[in-house]
Amino acid sequence: ELNSEFFVQDRKNNLLYSYDFVKTDVKKAIEFNGDFWHCNPHHYDEDYFHRVKKVTAKEIWVIDENKKNTINDMEYDLLVIWESEFTKNPKETIQKCLDFLNT
């Protein structure tokens, strides 16, 4: 079953997370992270200051890690796709997502 909106409360950090794509029947989720918005570690160093979010890349990575751990704690597998990964090879990336969902 596909959930178009899937939210999870992180009580420890008092945050509400939404996930981009979730299949509840197989307990799998996919996050599509924009390189700029999530400060892709292949393009940004931890001290980079995100001018829009007003935090460092490292702080963004901590939030993303907490988001991953929150859904993992619910026994979901999470696949993270970076924008640049998709841009570089869309077909391969889509196949990677399909393989992830079907295994």
Side-chain angles (χ1 to χ4, degrees):
E1 178 177 322
L2 172 63
N3 288 65
S4 59
E5 291 189 50
F6 192 87
F7 297 94
V8 177
Q9 179 72 40
D10 176 357
R11 287 179 173 66
K12 185 174 112 181
N13 296 298
N14 197 29
L15 293 170
L16 183 66
Y17 301 126
S18 67
Y19 297 86
D20 294 325
F21 185 90
V22 177
K23 264 194 103 200
T24 55
D25 59 334
V26 293
K27 291 194 143 194
K28 293 195 177 197
I30 298 173
E31 274 294 286
F32 190 93
N33 283 353
D35 291 335
F36 172 73
W37 292 104
H38 292 269
C39 293
N40 185 335
H42 295 282
H43 305 290
Y44 298 89
D45 66 35
E46 66 181 24
D47 296 325
Y48 171 80
F49 186 77
H50 196 288
R51 65 186 183 275
V52 178
K53 290 186 166 189
K54 309 281 192 240
V55 294
T56 64
K58 186 176 182 178
E59 291 171 294
I60 291 170
W61 299 339
V62 167
I63 292 167
D64 288 345
E65 183 69 15
N66 289 339
K67 183 176 182 178
K68 177 183 82 81
N69 291 339
T70 298
I71 201 162
N72 286 159
D73 288 347
M74 297 172 57
E75 299 182 3
Y76 276 76
D77 290 327
L78 178 67
L79 174 65
V80 176
I81 300 294
W82 286 98
E83 173 187 4
S84 54
E85 177 184 4
F86 178 78
T87 302
K88 183 179 177 183
N89 196 332
K91 279 186 173 181
E92 184 178 294
T93 305
I94 290 169
Q95 189 60 53
K96 179 179 179 178
C97 293
L98 292 170
D99 292 345
F100 169 75
L101 293 170
N102 292 314
T103 57

